[in-house]
Amino acid sequence: MEGISEATSNGQQTSSAQSKVITCKAAVVWAPGESFILEDVEVEPPHKMEVRIKILFASICHTDLSAWKGENELQRAFPRILGHEAAGVVESVGEGVEDMKEGDHVVPIFNGECGDCAYCHSEKTNLCNKFRVNPFKSVMVGDGRTRFSVVDRRNGERRPVYHFLNTSTFAEYTVVDFACVVKINPEAPLDKMCLLSCGISTGLGAAWNTADVTKGSSVAIFGLGAVGLAVAEGARLRGASQIIGVDINPDKFAKGREMGITDFVNPKECSKPANEGWGFTVVLGIHLSPRLLPLHPMELFDGRRIIGCVFGDFKGKSELPNIVDKCMKGEININLDGFITHELPFAEINKAFQLLDEGISLRCLLHL
Ligand code: CU
């Protein structure tokens, strides 16, 4: 772990006078694929321009599952606190944070928005120059250290626990950069808002911002997990007339129908490839490594377009609060309940991972 220094637990570097080190439970992964262990971790107070959040709800996204297994290009830094889809309340803020205070309701975002760099000022991207999603990052931007530490039972020594995707939400308290936390309407139900922290925003945004689905259009969705169904939800809300769900697991079709998908295709039952025709393809999510996309340039020549997006092209801090307000006013009617298929206490996080791994759950909401 080049360039990573030991985390101190005495809070010396903090600027927040009343803020102290908190000892709390966190689900720590010590090595890829090993069970989560609820450890007593020490969480430092937030440093300058950082926020410490009390996490109340966390859900499990497929990216957490991939990182846990160590099966893709996400950095393998262990021990680590995974999790990036959550909702909670601000516990304390570090020096210089002005847009949030103790008690504010918030959702963390893995793809931060500083609001001040050239990219944040540009309308063409939601990738902040400093706080954008970075799979290879496992420490805080400010000082290259972690804010978590734990006692290693093998030798009794205290050691740093690494961060994940700017957020690390499988913990009762976490520290994030101000750019990676969004203040939302305090009236909004935090359990459902948790889903907007990653997966559902990613799918909705892909339909609304990236593909800009219009009334009457046809949309095909490959993979009917939570993100795929959120794309369906986004397409439905835009008035798409045909929403085709493609999945090799036919168990997904019943839920898909409930969520507004009109037609289903199981590629295993097709004699021809399911991907014929022209159109606009949006690639979402993290993919297994080192699989490549086999693509002949002529396939683009005759009218196919392919693009990727992160977090549904939403600028999290500027746009999520509006979406939440519109949901509260009933101006957009997102079926968030439909995505929460399971709820479990935090202590049962291993079971929650199993439910996702086996394709049984869409979103399992953990209560912290
Ligand atoms: Cu995610």
Side-chain angles (χ1 to χ4, degrees), residues 282-352:
V282 182
V283 178
L284 298 174
I286 304 253
H287 291 258
L288 296 184
S289 190
R291 283 193 201 164
L292 300 177
L293 204 58
L295 193 69
H296 192 288
M298 287 309 285
E299 299 197 46
L300 299 177
F301 173 80
D302 54 2
R304 293 184 188 89
R305 287 182 289 163
I306 184 161
I307 193 168
C309 73
V310 168
F311 199 51
D313 274 329
F314 280 121
K315 285 183 188 275
K317 276 188 81 121
S318 2
E319 294 185 85
L320 264 199
N322 293 335
I323 304 266
V324 172
D325 286 343
K326 283 185 179 166
C327 288
M328 294 302 290
K329 288 185 205 147
E331 287 170 21
I332 358 177
N333 200 359
I334 308 166
N335 177 11
L336 290 173
D337 283 316
F339 291 93
I340 303 174
T341 53
H342 299 77
E343 299 194 43
L344 286 172
F346 185 35
E348 292 186 45
I349 185 169
N350 287 300
K351 188 175 168 192

Side-chain angles (χ1 to χ4, degrees), residues 18-278:
Q18 66 281 55
S19 195
K20 293 195 168 58
V21 168
I22 288 177
T23 302
C24 69
K25 293 285 181 205
V28 175
V29 185
W30 287 87
E34 276 187 15
S35 294
F36 289 82
I37 298 178
L38 278 204
E39 302 275 10
D40 289 312
V41 297
E42 287 195 350
V43 186
E44 279 186 42
H47 291 204
K48 191 175 177 182
M49 298 311 282
E50 294 173 0
V51 178
R52 189 161 60 184
I53 307 170
K54 179 173 173 50
I55 300 290
L56 297 175
F57 300 98
S59 42
I60 297 152
C61 174
H62 217 279
T63 307
D64 297 311
L65 187 62
S66 303
W68 172 63
K69 289 181 177 172
E71 68 183 8
N72 53 29
E73 283 163 344
L74 294 161
Q75 192 194 44
R76 297 178 182 202
F78 293 93
R80 197 169 205 185
I81 298 174
L82 300 174
H84 62 285
E85 198 173 89
V89 174
V90 172
E91 181 272 336
S92 60
V93 300
E95 182 195 328
V97 175
E98 281 171 0
D99 62 337
M100 271 167 285
K101 58 177 188 321
E102 187 188 336
D104 282 344
H105 288 201
V106 291
V107 291
I109 45 169
F110 63 92
N111 187 46
E113 181 188 357
C114 77
D116 211 32
C117 70
Y119 292 171
C120 283
H121 283 301
S122 164
E123 282 180 10
K124 294 191 175 156
T125 182
N126 66 341
L127 294 168
C128 171
N129 196 22
K130 201 167 171 192
F131 299 103
R132 71 168 81 173
V133 61
N134 179 354
F136 299 104
K137 192 176 131 196
S138 55
V139 291
M140 297 304 285
V141 168
D143 58 0
R145 296 165 59 249
T146 83
R147 300 290 173 265
F148 304 111
S149 65
V150 71
V151 173
D152 188 334
R153 277 169 222 185
R154 291 166 295 195
N155 54 19
E157 280 170 26
R158 181 162 288 281
R159 56 170 301 171
V161 182
Y162 295 105
H163 294 254
F164 177 64
L165 291 184
N166 284 332
T167 46
S168 286
T169 54
F170 297 149
E172 290 173 328
Y173 290 87
T174 189
V175 174
V176 302
D177 287 295
F178 81 101
C180 300
V181 53
V182 180
K183 178 178 163 178
I184 58 163
N185 186 333
E187 313 260 286
L190 280 174
D191 53 349
K192 295 183 186 66
M193 293 304 111
C194 175
L195 305 187
L196 294 178
S197 181
C198 172
I200 308 312
S201 297
T202 296
L204 290 172
W208 294 346
N209 304 324
T210 320
D212 193 13
V213 171
T214 50
K215 196 168 166 27
S217 48
S218 296
V219 176
I221 301 159
F222 292 77
L224 301 181
V227 173
L229 292 179
V231 174
E233 191 63 3
R236 180 184 70 79
L237 290 164
R238 277 286 180 91
S241 53
Q242 192 182 28
I243 306 175
I244 306 160
V246 185
D247 202 304
I248 53 172
N249 177 0
D251 293 347
K252 300 276 182 187
F253 294 168
K255 188 71 188 176
R257 188 160 287 119
E258 213 181 284
M259 301 295 284
I261 294 184
T262 57
D263 303 80
F264 294 93
V265 174
N266 181 350
K268 285 192 167 165
E269 291 170 1
C270 296
S271 49
K272 294 194 297 182
N275 56 346
E276 290 187 343
W278 59 273

